[in-house]
Coordinates of all heavy atoms in Angstrom, one line a residue:
R245 N 19.7 -17.1 3.4 CA 20.6 -16.4 2.5 C 20.0 -15.9 1.3 O 20.6 -15.2 0.5 CB 21.8 -17.3 2.2 CG 22.6 -17.6 3.5 CD 23.8 -18.5 3.3 NE 24.5 -18.3 2.1 CZ 24.9 -19.2 1.2 NH1 24.6 -20.4 1.5 NH2 25.6 -18.9 0.2
A246 N 18.7 -16.3 1.0 CA 18.1 -15.8 -0.2 C 16.6 -15.6 0.1 O 16.0 -16.3 0.9 CB 18.3 -16.8 -1.3
I247 N 15.9 -14.7 -0.7 CA 14.5 -14.5 -0.6 C 13.9 -14.6 -2.0 O 14.6 -14.4 -3.0 CB 14.1 -13.2 0.1 CG1 14.7 -12.0 -0.7 CG2 14.6 -13.1 1.5 CD1 14.2 -10.6 -0.2
I248 N 12.6 -15.0 -2.0 CA 11.9 -15.1 -3.3 C 10.5 -14.5 -3.2 O 9.9 -14.6 -2.1 CB 11.9 -16.6 -3.8 CG1 11.4 -16.7 -5.2 CG2 11.0 -17.4 -2.8 CD1 11.6 -18.1 -5.8
C249 N 10.0 -13.9 -4.3 CA 8.6 -13.5 -4.3 C 8.1 -13.5 -5.7 O 8.9 -13.5 -6.7 CB 8.5 -12.1 -3.8 SG 9.3 -10.8 -4.7
A250 N 6.8 -13.6 -5.8 CA 6.1 -13.3 -7.1 C 5.6 -11.9 -7.0 O 5.3 -11.5 -5.8 CB 4.9 -14.3 -7.3
S251 N 5.5 -11.2 -8.0 CA 5.2 -9.8 -7.9 C 4.5 -9.2 -9.1 O 4.8 -9.5 -10.2 CB 6.5 -9.0 -7.5 OG 6.2 -7.6 -7.4
T252 N 3.6 -8.2 -8.8 CA 3.2 -7.3 -9.9 C 4.1 -6.1 -10.1 O 3.9 -5.3 -10.9 CB 1.7 -6.8 -9.6 OG1 1.7 -6.1 -8.4 CG2 0.8 -8.0 -9.5
G253 N 5.1 -6.1 -9.2 CA 6.2 -5.0 -9.4 C 6.7 -4.5 -8.1 O 7.9 -4.4 -7.9
N254 N 5.8 -4.0 -7.3 CA 6.3 -3.3 -6.1 C 6.9 -4.2 -5.0 O 7.9 -3.8 -4.3 CB 5.2 -2.5 -5.4 CG 5.0 -1.2 -6.2 OD1 5.9 -0.6 -6.8 ND2 3.7 -0.7 -6.2
T255 N 6.4 -5.4 -4.9 CA 7.0 -6.4 -4.0 C 8.4 -6.7 -4.4 O 9.3 -6.8 -3.6 CB 6.2 -7.7 -3.8 OG1 4.9 -7.3 -3.4 CG2 6.8 -8.7 -2.9
S256 N 8.6 -6.9 -5.7 CA 9.9 -7.2 -6.2 C 10.9 -6.0 -6.0 O 12.1 -6.2 -5.7 CB 9.9 -7.6 -7.7 OG 9.4 -6.6 -8.5
A257 N 10.4 -4.8 -6.2 CA 11.3 -3.6 -6.0 C 11.7 -3.6 -4.5 O 12.9 -3.4 -4.2 CB 10.5 -2.3 -6.4
A258 N 10.8 -3.8 -3.6 CA 11.1 -3.7 -2.2 C 12.0 -4.9 -1.8 O 13.0 -4.8 -1.1 CB 9.8 -3.7 -1.3
A259 N 11.7 -6.1 -2.3 CA 12.5 -7.3 -2.0 C 13.9 -7.1 -2.5 O 14.9 -7.4 -1.7 CB 11.9 -8.5 -2.6
A260 N 14.1 -6.6 -3.7 CA 15.4 -6.3 -4.2 C 16.2 -5.4 -3.4 O 17.4 -5.6 -3.1 CB 15.3 -5.8 -5.7
A261 N 15.6 -4.3 -3.0 CA 16.3 -3.2 -2.2 C 16.7 -3.7 -0.8 O 17.8 -3.6 -0.4 CB 15.4 -2.0 -2.1
Y262 N 15.7 -4.4 -0.1 CA 16.0 -4.9 1.2 C 17.0 -6.0 1.2 O 17.8 -6.2 2.2 CB 14.7 -5.1 2.0 CG 14.1 -3.9 2.5 CD1 13.3 -3.1 1.6 CD2 14.3 -3.3 3.7 CE1 12.7 -1.9 2.0 CE2 13.7 -2.1 4.1 CZ 13.0 -1.4 3.2 OH 12.4 -0.2 3.6
A263 N 16.9 -6.8 0.2 CA 17.9 -7.9 0.0 C 19.3 -7.3 -0.1 O 20.3 -7.8 0.5 CB 17.6 -8.8 -1.1
A264 N 19.4 -6.3 -1.0 CA 20.7 -5.6 -1.2 C 21.2 -5.1 0.2 O 22.4 -5.3 0.5 CB 20.5 -4.5 -2.2
R265 N 20.3 -4.5 0.9 CA 20.7 -3.9 2.2 C 21.2 -5.0 3.2 O 22.1 -4.7 3.9 CB 19.5 -3.2 2.8 CG 19.7 -2.5 4.1 CD 20.3 -1.2 3.9 NE 20.2 -0.4 5.1 CZ 21.0 0.6 5.4 NH1 22.0 0.9 4.6 NH2 20.8 1.3 6.5
A266 N 20.6 -6.2 3.1 CA 20.9 -7.2 4.0 C 22.0 -8.2 3.5 O 22.5 -9.0 4.2 CB 19.7 -8.0 4.3
G267 N 22.4 -8.0 2.2 CA 23.4 -8.9 1.6 C 22.8 -10.3 1.3 O 23.6 -11.3 1.3
L268 N 21.6 -10.3 1.0 CA 20.9 -11.6 0.5 C 20.7 -11.6 -1.0 O 20.8 -10.5 -1.6 CB 19.5 -11.7 1.2 CG 19.4 -11.6 2.7 CD1 17.9 -11.8 3.1 CD2 20.2 -12.7 3.4
T269 N 20.5 -12.7 -1.5 CA 20.1 -12.8 -2.9 C 18.6 -12.8 -3.0 O 17.9 -13.4 -2.3 CB 20.6 -14.1 -3.6 OG1 22.0 -14.2 -3.3 CG2 20.3 -14.2 -5.0
A270 N 18.1 -11.9 -4.0 CA 16.6 -11.9 -4.2 C 16.3 -12.5 -5.5 O 16.9 -12.2 -6.5 CB 16.1 -10.4 -4.1
F271 N 15.3 -13.4 -5.5 CA 14.8 -13.9 -6.8 C 13.4 -13.4 -6.9 O 12.6 -13.5 -6.0 CB 14.7 -15.5 -6.7 CG 16.1 -16.1 -6.6 CD1 16.6 -16.4 -5.4 CD2 16.9 -16.4 -7.7 CE1 17.9 -17.0 -5.2 CE2 18.1 -17.0 -7.6 CZ 18.6 -17.3 -6.4

Side-chain angles (χ1 to χ4, degrees):
R245 292 176 47 225
I247 58 176
I248 191 168
C249 64
S251 179
T252 60
N254 282 331
T255 300
S256 64
Y262 283 81
R265 182 81 166 153
L268 304 179
T269 304
F271 297 93

